[in-house]
Amino acid sequence: MDYQSLFAEALYQQLRDQLDQEKVYQLIEKPKFTEMGDFAFPCFELAKIFRKAPNQIASDLAEKLELPPLFEKVEAVGGYVNVFLDQTEVSGSVVAEVIQAKDHYGTMNHGNGEVITIDFSSPNIAKPFSMGHLRSTVIGHSLARIAEKNGFEVVRINHLGDWGTQFGKLIAAYKLWGNEEKIREKPIKELLKLYVQFHDEAERDPSLIDEGRLWFKRLEDGDQEAHALWEWFRDESLKEFNSIYELLGVTFDSTQGEAFYNDKMDRVVQLLEEKKLLEESDGALVVQTAEGMPPCLIKKKDGTTLYATRDLAAAIYRHEIYGSERSLYVVGNEQTLHFKQLFLVLEKMGYEWSQGLKHVPFGMMLKDGKKMSTRKGKVVLLEEVLKEAVSLAQQNIADKNPSLPDQERVAHQVGTGAVIFHDLKNHRLNDVEFSLDAMLKFEGETGPYVQYTHARASSILRKASYRVNAAQLMFSDDTAWAVVKCLMGFPEAVTRAFEGNDPSQIAKYVLELAKSFNQYYGNVRILDAVEGRQEKLSLVHAVQIVLKEGMYLLGLEAPEEM
C-alpha cells in the first residue's frame, strides 16, 4: 500500500483549487527523525496563494485533514503538516504484504508489457574483456532487470564491435608479425600484443595506417583471406566473452554485432537520399543535424561506412523486428555527441519512435586516475579480477567458516557480487577508480555486507524452524518500525531506479535495509523471544525476501549461508 498517496489524497481534498494531485504528492517529504512524523507536507509554496504565514496554513490544514484509520495522528509544526502512521497496524500490514507477494513485492506495471530494447556491454572483438567493459555490462544487466520489475518486456542486445578499421589494423599486424600457433594457444593475449605493436610501430612508420585501411577495405569488399582472418578472430573472442558473461550471470537475447548490418546500410543510404537529407562534404556523405553540432558522417570519401551508418540500420531493424517504442543505449559518456546525432537523423527521417531512444551514459573506469587504454596495453583484465575476487572469498570462507557446505559456489557468488556491487553503488555518471582492495572488502558498503545480512536472516529462520503465518500480525512495540519503514520504501526505489536509469538507487536501498536490520538484530532478542516471536520472525522473513530481490535487480546472488 502506498501510504504517501493516501496522505496526498487527503491533502488534495483540501487543496484541489490550489494544487494538482501530482504536485501535492511531489511536495511530501520524509522527515529524518521519527519524532517529526512519517510524512511531512511543507506549506511554504502556499503562502503567496493564501496570503497567510506557512505555520498558519499548516495549522488550518492539520485541523481539516480527514485521514484514513491507518494514520494515528496529525500535527502542525512550524510550516509543516506532520502525520504519524499507526505503527502497530501498518507494521503488520506491510510485513504481511511482503510475505504474501514474495519476489513480486515492489513489482510495478509502468510498462504494461511494452517492449524495450537495451543495448549494453558491446565489447570489441579481438580485444580483451577488460575492467573498462565492466560498467556497460553490469549497468545494462541491472537496468534490464529493473525494467522487467517495472512491467516492461525487455530485449537484451549485445551489439558486438566486430567491424571497423581496427580489424584492418589487426589483420595488417597479423600478416606482418603474427604467429598462428601462438594465437591458437592464447588468442586474445596474442591479438592484444599485435594490436599494441601495430600502434607502436605506426608512430615510427605512419604508412602502416594506410596498410590497415587497405586491409579493412579488402574486408568490406569481401576478400576471402581478410574475411577468414576476421571470422577466426571473432570466434576466438566470443569464446572468451561468453566465459566472462557466464561468470557474471549475464545473458543476451541478441548478439548481432556491427557486421550483421553490412547488408542493411544501402537501404539507410537510399532512404536518406529519398528524403533529400544527404549532402556531399569533401567527397564524403553527411547529414546536417542541428546548429552548433557537426554533421553526421554517413560514408567516408573512400566509400567505407561508419558507426553512425550501422547504428541507423540497427535502430530501424530493431524497431521493425521487436516493435519497440523505447530503446536504451548503455554506452560511455564519451559517445554523447554520436547519439545526439543518431537520434536527430532518425527524427529527420520521420521516425516518431526516435523520441523513445535514450543514451544512458556512464563515467569511466579509471586506473591511477587515468582512462584504461587497449591501444597502449594499459588494461586490467576483468576475468583476472573476478578470479582473484572469488579466490579471496574462498580464503575468507576457509578462515571463518571452514565447515560451510558448497564453498566453491558461495565463493563465486560472493566474489563476483563484490565486483558488481562496487560498480553499481556509484551513480553511473561518476567515474570509478579501479581498486581491487576497495572492491573486495567484506565490511562496510559492499556487496558481501549485503549478502552476509541476507545469510544472517536466513540462518535465523532456519534455527527457529520458521513457518509462514502472516494472517494475524500485531506488532506490540516500536523496535521494528525503522525496518518496516525501510521495507515500505522498496517499490519507490524500484520506480526511481527505472525513471533515472540508475541502479545505484537499488544499491543504496539494500544497504539501508541491511543496516537497519542489523541494528534491529543487535538490539532485539529474536530466537529466544516468547512474546511477539511470530511477528519478529515474520519481519526477518520480509527482510530476507526484499534483500534477495534487491540483489537480484543488481545482478547479485543471495547465499543462504556464508
Side-chain angles (χ1 to χ4, degrees), residues 150-217:
N150 277 274
F152 289 84
E153 183 183 333
V154 178
V155 179
R156 295 161 168 82
I157 296 173
N158 192 358
H159 187 68
L160 295 167
D162 61 358
W163 205 251
T165 54
Q166 74 267 28
F167 292 100
K169 295 173 182 177
L170 192 60
I171 292 169
Y174 175 75
K175 294 294 291 180
L176 286 166
W177 313 296
N179 181 309
E180 182 180 349
E181 192 176 319
K182 282 186 177 180
I183 290 174
R184 290 202 181 278
E185 189 180 339
K186 293 184 177 176
I188 300 303
K189 184 179 179 183
E190 290 302 318
L191 290 172
L192 174 62
K193 278 171 67 175
L194 287 175
Y195 190 75
V196 172
Q197 185 177 356
F198 181 89
H199 285 95
D200 287 344
E201 296 289 343
E203 286 181 7
R204 293 186 283 273
D205 180 5
S207 68
L208 281 173
I209 300 296
D210 293 328
E211 181 77 7
R213 288 195 186 112
L214 180 64
W215 271 106
F216 181 57
K217 187 71 171 65

Side-chain angles (χ1 to χ4, degrees), residues 445-457:
E445 296 189 344
T446 67
Y449 170 73
V450 178
Q451 289 173 316
Y452 181 74
T453 305
H454 174 270
R456 167 177 277 172

Side-chain angles (χ1 to χ4, degrees), residues 2-65:
D2 187 349
Y3 299 96
Q4 185 170 329
S5 289
L6 293 176
F7 181 34
E9 173 62 30
L11 287 164
Y12 177 64
Q13 295 305 318
Q14 304 300 324
L15 300 171
R16 60 194 320 149
D17 295 332
Q18 290 80 30
L19 298 172
D20 63 51
Q21 195 162 356
E22 183 60 29
K23 178 66 173 174
V24 172
Y25 185 91
Q26 289 171 358
L27 283 171
I28 293 172
E29 300 174 2
K30 292 178 182 173
K32 288 183 179 179
F33 304 105
T34 307
E35 60 269 22
M36 296 169 70
D38 298 306
F39 298 105
F41 180 75
C43 298
F44 306 99
E45 282 196 28
L46 296 170
K48 288 182 182 177
I49 299 171
F50 285 113
R51 297 178 182 274
K52 286 183 183 178
N55 58 342
Q56 185 59 53
I57 298 168
S59 181
D60 293 344
L61 267 176
E63 283 184 24
K64 295 176 184 175
L65 272 186

Side-chain angles (χ1 to χ4, degrees), residues 419-454:
V419 175
I420 294 167
F421 196 87
H422 178 75
D423 189 300
L424 295 183
K425 73 178 181 181
N426 298 283
H427 188 279
R428 59 177 168 77
L429 288 174
N430 295 336
D431 292 337
V432 176
E433 177 67 35
F434 170 75
S435 166
L436 199 55
D437 290 339
M439 199 176 285
L440 301 178
K441 279 183 180 171
F442 289 75
E443 310 85 26
E445 296 189 344
T446 67
Y449 170 73
V450 178
Q451 289 173 316
Y452 181 74
T453 305
H454 174 270

Side-chain angles (χ1 to χ4, degrees), residues 340-354:
K340 282 181 179 175
Q341 291 177 318
L342 179 73
F343 302 159
L344 275 169
V345 172
L346 288 165
E347 187 180 341
K348 285 192 166 195
M349 292 175 79
Y351 294 119
E352 289 183 12
W353 47 264
S354 65

Side-chain angles (χ1 to χ4, degrees), residues 229-509:
L229 287 170
W230 169 81
E231 196 165 25
W232 177 35
F233 298 159
R234 188 182 192 276
D235 289 347
E236 293 296 341
S237 297
L238 277 174
K239 286 178 193 172
E240 177 161 309
F241 293 167
N242 287 333
S243 70
I244 300 287
Y245 293 134
E246 192 175 336
L247 278 171
L248 292 170
V250 173
T251 58
F252 296 95
D253 301 298
S254 166
T255 53
Q256 291 159 346
E258 293 179 51
F260 177 78
Y261 298 98
N262 280 344
D263 62 354
K264 298 168 181 59
M265 290 184 289
D266 286 345
R267 178 191 171 202
V268 171
V269 175
Q270 187 181 339
L271 286 168
L272 291 168
E273 283 175 343
E274 287 173 5
K275 294 176 184 294
K276 297 182 169 44
L277 293 172
L278 274 185
E279 294 181 13
E280 191 173 318
S281 175
D282 295 330
L285 293 176
V286 303
V287 175
Q288 296 299 332
T289 49
E291 191 175 340
M293 192 183 293
C296 183
L297 192 54
I298 302 297
K299 260 191 177 182
K300 287 184 183 177
K301 187 160 53 176
D302 63 4
T304 55
T305 51
L306 292 107
Y307 289 128
T309 328
R310 288 182 179 77
D311 278 350
L312 288 168
I316 295 167
Y317 174 84
R318 291 169 188 174
H319 178 74
E320 290 174 348
I321 294 297
Y322 303 119
S324 54
E325 294 294 326
R326 295 200 203 195
S327 294
L328 301 181
Y329 293 82
V330 186
V331 183
N333 53 22
E334 65 271 18
Q335 294 294 322
T336 297
L337 174 61
H338 166 75
F339 285 105
K340 282 181 179 175
Q341 291 177 318
L342 179 73
F343 302 159
L344 275 169
V345 172
L346 288 165
E347 187 180 341
K348 285 192 166 195
M349 292 175 79
Y351 294 119
E352 289 183 12
W353 47 264
S354 65
Q355 301 302 313
L357 305 181
K358 187 172 179 61
H359 175 212
V360 181
F362 53 85
M364 293 183 289
M365 181 71 75
L366 305 176
K367 187 170 188 292
D368 302 323
K370 296 175 183 176
K371 181 182 177 182
M372 297 180 185
S373 170
T374 307
R375 185 175 295 185
K376 295 182 179 178
K378 293 180 179 176
V379 293
V380 177
L381 301 184
L382 177 56
E383 186 172 20
E384 290 178 7
V385 171
L386 290 172
K387 285 180 177 175
E388 188 164 349
V390 171
S391 175
L392 180 63
Q394 283 176 320
Q395 186 58 53
N396 279 359
I397 290 168
D399 292 344
K400 297 176 182 177
N401 193 2
S403 60
L404 178 72
D406 207 358
Q407 291 187 22
E408 194 173 315
R409 180 167 173 268
V410 175
H412 170 81
Q413 293 174 329
V414 174
T416 55
V419 175
I420 294 167
F421 196 87
H422 178 75
D423 189 300
L424 295 183
K425 73 178 181 181
N426 298 283
H427 188 279
R428 59 177 168 77
L429 288 174
N430 295 336
D431 292 337
V432 176
E433 177 67 35
F434 170 75
S435 166
L436 199 55
D437 290 339
M439 199 176 285
L440 301 178
K441 279 183 180 171
F442 289 75
E443 310 85 26
E445 296 189 344
T446 67
Y449 170 73
V450 178
Q451 289 173 316
Y452 181 74
T453 305
H454 174 270
R456 167 177 277 172
S458 301
S459 173
I460 292 168
L461 297 175
R462 276 195 310 277
K463 288 176 182 175
S465 301
Y466 169 75
R467 295 289 178 269
V468 175
N469 180 11
Q472 294 287 328
L473 293 174
M474 295 295 291
F475 285 78
S476 56
D477 60 63
D478 60 0
T479 53
W481 186 236
V483 183
V484 171
K485 282 180 72 174
C486 202
L487 289 170
M488 285 164 55
F490 184 55
E492 187 184 342
V494 168
T495 300
R496 279 198 317 269
F498 176 75
E499 290 177 346
N501 295 310
D502 179 16
S504 75
Q505 294 291 333
I506 303 295
K508 286 168 185 162
Y509 172 83

